[in-house]
C-alpha cells in the first residue's frame, strides 16, 4: 500500500477528531519546515523515523534499460 498525503490526512483526521483542513495545515507546515532546513543545507533528524539531508554527487552517465 502506498501512503499518500491525502491518506495520511484522512487517517489523522479520523483518529484525532480534527478536520482534514486543520490536519492539512499542520502537516503542510511540518513539510515546509523540513524543506526550508534542507534548502539551507541543514540536516533534519526525526527520531525513530529517519534522517534527511541533501547530498551533492558528481554527474554520472545513466543507462536506459528499457527494451524497445
Amino acid at each position: 500500500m502506498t501512503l499518500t498525503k491525502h491518506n495520511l490526512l484522512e487517517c489523522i483526521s479520523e483518529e484525532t477528531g480534527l478536520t482534514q483542513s486543520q490536519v492539512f495545515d499542520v502537516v503542510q507546515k511540518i513539510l515546509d519546515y523540513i524543506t526550508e532546513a534542507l534548502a539551507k543545507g541543514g540536516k533534519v533528524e526525526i527520531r525513530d523515523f529517519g534522517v534527511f539531508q541533501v547530498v551533492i554527487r558528481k554527474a554520472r552517465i545513466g543507462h536506459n534499460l528499457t527494451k524497445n
Side-chain angles (χ1 to χ4, degrees):
M1 176 182 144
T2 302
L3 181 64
T4 64
K5 189 174 178 181
H6 182 73
N7 298 134
L8 185 62
L9 296 176
E10 287 180 337
C11 292
I12 294 173
S13 178
E14 288 174 12
E15 282 193 30
T16 63
L18 297 171
T19 65
Q20 285 189 26
S21 177
Q22 291 170 317
V23 174
F24 174 83
D25 290 342
V26 172
V27 170
Q28 189 60 52
K29 188 53 75 176
I30 291 168
L31 295 175
D32 290 345
Y33 281 123
I34 290 171
T35 302
E36 184 179 324
L38 294 173
K40 290 180 179 178
K43 181 167 95 171
V44 177
E45 182 176 336
I46 302 173
R47 300 270 183 212
D48 299 323
F49 183 72
V51 177
F52 305 88
Q53 65 187 58
V54 176
V55 176
I56 306 297
R57 296 195 172 120
K58 66 179 184 176
R60 62 183 183 87
I61 297 174
H63 297 280
N64 186 354
L65 300 177
T66 60
K67 294 182 180 180
N68 290 332

